[in-house]
Amino acid sequence: MANKERFYSILLIFSTIVSSINLISCEKSLITNQAALFVFGDSVFDVGNNNYINTHRAAQANVWPYGQTTFKFPTGRNSDGRLIPDFIAEYAWLPLIPPYLQPRNGVNHYTYGVNFASAGAGALVETYQPQNVIPLGSQLNNFKNVEKMLKDNLGDAETKRIISRAVYLIQIGPNDYFYPFSVNASHFESNSKEKFVDYVIGNTTAVIEGIYKLGGSKFGLMNMGRLDCVPGLLTMDPNRIGSCFEPITELIKLHNVRIPNVLRDLQRRLPSFRYSLFDSYTAGTEAMENPTKYGFKEVKKACCGSGPFRGSSTCGYRAGTSRDFELCENVSDYMFFDGSHTSEKANQQTAELMWDGPSDLVGPYTLKTLFQNF
């Protein structure tokens, strides 16, 4: 086991060096006027920041079989391959956007953007803090550090141009809504669900406004998807095994009613503020109810994990020489890679819809429009 862990550690270091070299070598071939992509969020968007912090094993994805499909080794992404921001970067003619904490990052990397997302993060500071993850507010502080570095190296005018033309991709909230149930099942017996949702959205809005004050004006967001129906939550209610976890469903619906109104208010108040809101809930429901239409054979059971629906977060765990998890043979048949995260195939489908999907799923702008028309 020690040898295998050492092997994957070497691979992780090697991938960091290679990605740095690739970014530098491709700078001349990319359009120098291309809008950058700055990414904020949780494990849905984290491309490896948690590899570089002292956090709980459950908040990292730096062991096999994570990354097996595209990268052929674990990169810190919570999937078998690429995540949504990876595909968005590709569609925008950008290189892979590196994690902020990756060693050897430099100003040349930041001109194309950087990823601040941290698995386990929430809009609320207290969400999963025993695991020492990077909450959304701290991610904003990291963005401020990047802005300062750009100014120090490129000057105020060029930094202003980069930040004003960039697109800011944000995915946050699922951990905030799940965390109370993981630590205190009776939390909402004495706390208003409506006020809790307002706190989550309020903190998210504060970060959006913080980015806006620094010059950012183009934002891409997702509403709450089918968090209540991921494999890991299908056994949360012992009386309804296999059913979506209804207490979180209520929070999701409250969030999804409020977030469009909040964004419209920001658009009214903030000159030049533009946004793209993707209806992840409707898209996820459609895929779950019509799996064959999207090329899936399994939408309830995870590819990697253990227990009912392979929903337990044991993917990659080993005890001695034996592994404590099951792994499917063909991940492309599965909507979910592990108990909480979608497969690369599902991530690509989501990214395509966010990039240039129909108006009933994404609006008032698509990400393609934000990148190309403003």
Side-chain angles (χ1 to χ4, degrees), residues 150-224:
L150 289 171
K151 283 184 175 180
D152 290 344
N153 287 273
L154 303 177
D156 290 356
E158 179 64 11
T159 298
K160 181 179 180 180
R161 186 190 72 84
I162 292 170
I163 288 178
S164 65
R165 297 191 69 249
V167 172
Y168 300 85
L169 199 59
I170 302 174
Q171 155 63 22
I172 206 73
N175 292 313
D176 296 301
Y177 295 135
F178 175 71
Y179 183 61
F181 295 102
S182 70
V183 295
N184 180 8
S186 62
H187 175 86
F188 290 109
E189 292 178 7
S190 57
N191 294 275
S192 164
K193 293 183 176 67
E194 289 80 6
K195 286 185 178 180
F196 188 80
V197 170
D198 286 341
Y199 289 146
V200 172
I201 293 179
N203 280 21
T204 304
T205 305
V207 168
I208 292 173
E209 292 186 279
I211 296 170
Y212 179 85
K213 289 177 181 178
L214 294 173
S217 62
K218 299 184 290 183
F219 295 84
L221 298 99
M222 305 164 68
N223 69 7
M224 290 299 105

Side-chain angles (χ1 to χ4, degrees), residues 104-332:
R104 299 175 181 269
N105 274 343
V107 68
N108 289 331
H109 300 74
Y110 295 148
T111 58
Y112 292 107
V114 68
N115 188 315
F116 303 100
S118 171
L124 305 181
V125 174
E126 60 267 28
T127 296
Y128 284 112
Q129 271 320 293
Q131 296 184 5
N132 195 37
V133 296
I134 310 168
L136 187 62
S138 296
Q139 294 178 33
L140 174 60
N141 290 334
N142 290 338
F143 174 63
K144 291 177 180 178
N145 292 337
V146 168
E147 185 222 18
K148 182 179 184 303
M149 181 181 292
L150 289 171
K151 283 184 175 180
D152 290 344
N153 287 273
L154 303 177
D156 290 356
E158 179 64 11
T159 298
K160 181 179 180 180
R161 186 190 72 84
I162 292 170
I163 288 178
S164 65
R165 297 191 69 249
V167 172
Y168 300 85
L169 199 59
I170 302 174
Q171 155 63 22
I172 206 73
N175 292 313
D176 296 301
Y177 295 135
F178 175 71
Y179 183 61
F181 295 102
S182 70
V183 295
N184 180 8
S186 62
H187 175 86
F188 290 109
E189 292 178 7
S190 57
N191 294 275
S192 164
K193 293 183 176 67
E194 289 80 6
K195 286 185 178 180
F196 188 80
V197 170
D198 286 341
Y199 289 146
V200 172
I201 293 179
N203 280 21
T204 304
T205 305
V207 168
I208 292 173
E209 292 186 279
I211 296 170
Y212 179 85
K213 289 177 181 178
L214 294 173
S217 62
K218 299 184 290 183
F219 295 84
L221 298 99
M222 305 164 68
N223 69 7
M224 290 299 105
R226 295 313 305 262
L227 166 68
D228 52 336
C229 300
V230 300
L233 292 189
L234 296 181
T235 58
M236 281 288 288
D237 186 344
N239 298 316
R240 302 180 70 250
I241 299 295
S243 298
C244 301
F245 188 51
E246 288 186 353
I248 285 186
T249 308
E250 186 176 352
L251 292 169
I252 291 171
K253 290 183 176 180
L254 285 170
H255 179 103
N256 289 351
V257 167
R258 283 167 164 69
I259 194 66
N261 297 328
V262 169
L263 291 172
R264 282 191 289 267
D265 178 65
L266 287 174
Q267 191 171 44
R268 284 192 295 267
R269 292 192 295 108
L270 306 178
S272 77
F273 177 87
R274 298 180 179 90
Y275 69 93
S276 174
L277 177 62
F278 174 64
D279 188 354
S280 179
Y281 186 91
T282 298
T285 301
E286 165 69 12
M288 288 177 174
E289 293 180 351
N290 302 282
T292 57
K293 179 180 176 181
Y294 298 90
F296 298 117
K297 294 181 180 179
E298 180 59 70
V299 295
K300 296 185 74 170
K301 190 176 185 180
C303 171
C304 183
S306 60
F309 308 103
R310 294 192 187 127
S312 295
S313 300
T314 57
C315 187
Y317 276 72
R318 288 186 174 274
T321 58
S322 63
R323 66 189 191 195
D324 289 347
F325 61 94
E326 300 172 359
L327 183 65
C328 67
E329 291 186 4
N330 188 1
V331 65
S332 65

